[in-house]
Amino acid sequence: MSVESCVLQGAEAGGFILIQDTVKCTGRGLLKCFINAALKRGEDVHVLGFESPETEVCAGLDRSCVQKLHFHKGFPDPLGWTRRSSFTVERFASQHITQLIKDTQQAKASVLVVDSLSLVLRHHDPLVFCQTLQELRKGGVIKTIIGLLHSDLHQQGIVGIVCYLASTVISVAPANNERHSVAKTTRRTKSGKVMQEEEYFSVCKDATLSVQAKPRQPGHVQKERDVSEADPTSNLTFNLRLSEEERKAKEKVALPFVFSQEKKSALLKPTPGSGRIVYEPDDNDDFDEEDPDDDLDV
Amino acid sequence: MFPELNSILNSTPDSFKSSDFILVSDRRADASFLIHHHLSFYLRAGCKVCFLGLVQSFSHYSAVGQRLGVSLAQAREKGQLVFLEGLKNSIGVILQEDTSQETQPLSYLRTPGAGLEGLFRFVERSVRQSGDGDAGESWGPPVLLIDDLSVLLSLGVSVGAILDFTLYCQATVCSELQGNMVILVRCEEEDADDDEEGSNLLRRGLVHQCNLALHVEGLPTGYCRDIHGQMEVWWRQGEETIYNQRKIFHFKVHDKGASFFARGTSSAVL
């Protein structure tokens, strides 16, 4: 399941898509692609924006669908210090979020986007956070949850817990090429099958995803290796090279332990003129006409 | 201010990027010369500067500023510079002599677990004050300078609380008021298991938030008399540059400035 199809089709109901990023490569561009694709599919998108301003998150999104986007202002006041936010981090609980979504008109199955889960984890107990996520997935009001997590800001155990909860995990990392990044997608279907894929991608200005060739494909190597092979037989005081006749003679030599057809017939068939063995069985001998070596595959 | 650094960062006091969060960090080196650069830069540009000087006295910055051609005392008198003298005021907070409003920003000294809301309120008040200098001068966009943030870690404030504080500062100073922010963080040696709360975790959290990261380290090959260290410039997300770009420069700090050059082009080598 490539990251492109993930973005375009979204997840199945009750899915949780996790985008993991680090300081080396930000995942917010990919998050924007998900939002844009969901809007184009006609779904209601609710964004809990704690870390970035609305202008940044909404920049480049398709203008025609923007009315389906509901940005709940956490930023610039995610903790309620200046009383200017409509949704603080503290209220990240299933009953508050469900109420928030039901309050908007035409609340059909919506997509919930959280930017970012790192801020929520900083202010909530991990256990309670996981319970909240599970309740939201099963609540029925939300079709898909998409979250951004800065994996280098938390302990490995906590990142592991959140990944385990997710049905799709996309990790972004920088590629050798500055223009692209690498996305590693791990998707778990309901049947338990796990699919993994790794691709180059870049985010265009209109918040669409552009996927390039997968890494490790021949002919798409981005970094040119400067390898010049030195010829070991040059510049020597003795001759290590072969002339044409020498090469032909060398190829003709039969190697000692290679069992070729000529060797086999030479060994098995007796040459004429050499000693013959005449065997006359005694009465007591148990003479068997069959060749005991018949079953050997020689 | 250092002219070579201005050309590297493509900014001058007359034209510089606004809404910028610049993170200055160092590891086993001293990046405070970059703080002096930015202080003189923004004072020359005519911006309203709020400086949280938590580790040195006002006279120290004033003396260095004199060598770089700006007068901090004059700027403070005119109202262009608001200086929080952390060292001097902290004694009053700890001994609880002074209970005026001035001590609220340093409330983390008594209750480090409570967070930095008081400090943020001080910053907000300072940057929102309209310019009421002589003859009604109005200053340029506000600038917040902090030297240095990692000292709060050793005072018992958690990394999460500091990241919340910088998020709020960025929201107010950069996003709302279109000003700039320059923060210095000093890091320790990277450990193998770096999940613990510490200066490296704080630096990573701040790099996620910032637009430009300047990281100063010593030379990996060891001490050199003519090159004092290397500085990595990391341009992170901006409107034009979506892709990360990192470049390393060598520098040498003089009495009245610092010179920057590309690797391998030091005058000692050429």
Side-chain angles (χ1 to χ4, degrees):
Chain A
M1 185 87 182
S2 81
V3 65
E4 190 168 21
S5 48
C6 208
V7 166
L8 293 174
Q9 292 162 24
E12 66 251 339
F16 172 25
I17 301 174
L18 178 71
I19 301 174
Q20 260 192 59
D21 70 357
T22 61
V23 285
K24 295 187 183 141
C25 183
T26 178
R28 210 160 258 130
L30 191 57
L31 190 72
K32 217 190 268 194
C33 293
F34 271 99
I35 298 176
N36 206 23
L39 288 174
K40 282 186 177 161
R41 284 196 303 266
E43 294 171 354
D44 269 305
V45 178
H46 291 261
V47 179
L48 300 181
F50 297 122
E51 268 187 16
S52 281
E54 186 172 356
T55 45
E56 211 180 287
V57 174
C58 298
L61 293 182
D62 200 345
R63 291 282 167 87
S64 54
C65 326
V66 166
Q67 66 266 30
K68 290 230 162 219
L69 176 71
H70 310 276
F71 191 93
H72 302 284
K73 280 194 172 157
F75 191 94
D77 185 22
L79 303 176
W81 286 357
T82 53
R83 299 183 208 289
R84 279 191 296 160
S85 78
S86 57
F87 194 83
T88 58
V89 164
E90 207 184 28
R91 301 188 71 226
F92 190 89
S94 50
Q95 65 266 33
H96 295 305
I97 295 177
T98 313
Q99 192 57 49
L100 188 74
I101 294 180
K102 281 188 181 160
D103 283 344
T104 55
Q105 297 161 335
Q106 306 157 8
K108 44 180 196 171
S110 319
V111 175
L112 178 71
V113 176
V114 187
D115 174 18
S116 69
L117 293 173
S118 289
L119 198 80
V120 178
L121 272 172
R122 227 160 53 206
H123 293 275
H124 286 270
D125 182 60
L127 205 65
V128 174
F129 170 77
C130 295
Q131 278 172 349
T132 305
L133 277 182
Q134 288 294 76
E135 283 164 16
L136 287 172
R137 288 169 83 176
K138 298 190 176 149
V141 178
I142 294 174
K143 176 178 164 246
T144 316
I145 305 177
I146 308 173
L148 176 66
L149 183 73
H150 307 303
S151 57
D152 51 0
L153 294 187
H154 305 278
Q155 290 180 351
Q156 272 185 355
I158 296 196
V159 176
I161 292 171
V162 184
C163 285
Y164 187 75
L165 283 179
S167 53
T168 308
V169 178
I170 306 173
S171 310
V172 294
N176 291 334
N177 189 342
E178 268 178 16
R179 300 189 61 81
H180 299 119
S181 315
V182 177
K184 210 187 273 184
T185 313
T186 307
R187 187 162 179 253
R188 259 185 305 164
T189 57
K190 280 196 172 134
S191 59
K193 184 175 168 197
V194 176
M195 292 178 282
Q196 279 191 333
E197 202 154 324
E198 207 175 300
E199 302 150 291
Y200 286 130
F201 76 96
S202 64
V203 176
C204 310
K205 281 207 171 134
D206 59 349
T208 51
L209 194 65
S210 146
V211 176
Q212 265 68 42
K214 302 172 195 191
R216 285 187 242 115
Q217 255 193 9
H220 285 274
V221 172
Q222 307 281 344
K223 207 175 187 179
E224 282 183 349
R225 301 251 171 100
D226 195 20
V227 175
S228 52
E229 289 186 0
D231 184 13
T233 57
S234 59
N235 297 332
L236 294 171
T237 55
F238 46 90
N239 182 26
L240 278 180
R241 294 201 177 108
L242 294 171
S243 70
E244 199 54 41
E245 299 90 27
E246 285 168 341
R247 210 171 41 77
K248 281 183 188 161
K250 179 184 165 191
E251 274 162 24
K252 273 196 189 143
V253 168
L255 294 173
F257 297 107
V258 171
F259 215 69
S260 62
Q261 193 54 39
E262 296 96 15
K263 271 213 174 152
K264 182 173 164 181
S265 45
L267 285 171
L268 291 180
K269 282 198 189 129
T271 52
S274 62
R276 280 170 63 237
I277 297 171
V278 178
Y279 176 66
E280 282 188 13
D282 218 7
D283 290 329
N284 297 333
D285 281 332
D286 187 9
F287 185 67
D288 190 359
E289 283 288 337
E290 277 180 40
D291 180 6
D293 292 327
D294 222 349
D295 56 351
L296 284 181
D297 184 24
V298 168
Chain B
M1 61 169 198
F2 314 141
E4 277 158 355
L5 184 58
N6 284 343
S7 64
I8 290 173
L9 300 179
N10 208 15
S11 60
T12 62
D14 302 316
S15 82
F16 54 87
K17 246 178 90 186
S18 58
S19 308
D20 231 6
F21 174 0
I22 301 172
L23 175 70
V24 178
S25 57
D26 62 29
R27 180 169 288 123
R28 298 181 76 194
D30 192 359
S32 48
F33 68 97
L34 291 172
I35 288 286
H36 295 298
H37 158 83
H38 283 107
L39 180 59
S40 60
F41 180 96
Y42 288 116
L43 283 177
R44 282 233 186 118
C47 296
K48 176 93 193 280
V49 176
C50 173
F51 192 157
L52 304 185
L54 304 175
V55 290
Q56 298 278 10
S57 63
F58 180 78
S59 45
H60 167 85
Y61 296 108
S62 193
V64 179
Q66 210 85 33
R67 278 188 244 150
L68 294 178
V70 285
S71 166
L72 295 194
Q74 221 177 50
R76 190 158 71 163
E77 266 168 55
K78 281 195 292 189
Q80 188 188 11
L81 172 67
V82 176
F83 191 90
L84 174 71
E85 195 147 1
L87 293 176
K88 201 167 84 169
N89 300 341
S90 55
I91 301 177
V93 173
I94 294 172
L95 299 178
Q96 258 190 331
E97 285 170 6
D98 202 350
T99 49
S100 69
Q101 206 187 32
E102 267 188 279
T103 57
Q104 256 210 339
L106 301 178
S107 58
Y108 57 84
L109 288 171
R110 297 204 71 88
T111 49
L116 300 171
E117 195 178 333
L119 191 61
F120 167 69
R121 296 227 181 271
F122 172 83
V123 168
E124 200 189 13
R125 271 197 314 270
S126 318
V127 296
R128 280 196 204 281
Q129 270 169 11
S130 54
D132 45 348
D134 308 336
E137 279 182 79
S138 67
W139 307 111
V143 172
L144 172 65
L145 283 167
I146 305 184
D147 176 19
D148 72 70
L149 208 54
S150 41
V151 80
L152 296 175
L153 284 175
S154 45
L155 290 171
V157 185
S158 69
V159 173
I162 301 179
L163 289 175
D164 290 337
F165 164 72
T166 49
L167 186 69
Y168 266 85
C169 289
Q170 189 181 22
T172 308
V173 176
C174 299
S175 299
E176 193 189 323
L177 301 172
Q178 310 284 305
N180 288 8
M181 224 160 82
V182 182
I183 295 186
L184 172 63
V185 169
R186 314 200 63 181
C187 303
E188 288 142 16
E189 206 56 52
E190 291 244 14
D191 276 327
D193 41 311
D194 219 354
D195 293 338
E196 325 283 307
E197 295 246 331
S199 50
N200 287 309
L201 181 63
L202 174 62
R203 181 180 172 257
R204 283 199 297 269
L206 291 173
V207 173
H208 270 287
Q209 289 176 4
C210 75
N211 297 109
L212 176 68
L214 304 173
H215 185 65
V216 172
E217 273 190 25
L219 290 178
T221 44
Y223 172 74
C224 171
R225 196 185 49 184
D226 294 297
I227 304 173
H228 290 161
Q230 69 182 31
M231 179 183 75
E232 182 197 56
V233 183
W234 188 353
W235 286 275
R236 293 183 54 81
Q237 54 262 39
E239 292 102 35
E240 307 95 38
T241 51
I242 313 175
Y243 313 114
N244 287 348
Q245 228 189 78
R246 289 166 99 153
K247 279 198 185 151
I248 295 187
F249 296 91
H250 284 170
F251 67 87
K252 181 173 180 181
V253 180
H254 312 296
D255 191 36
K256 290 200 176 183
S259 52
F260 296 82
F261 33 87
R263 280 187 289 184
T265 60
S266 150
S267 54
V269 171
L270 291 177

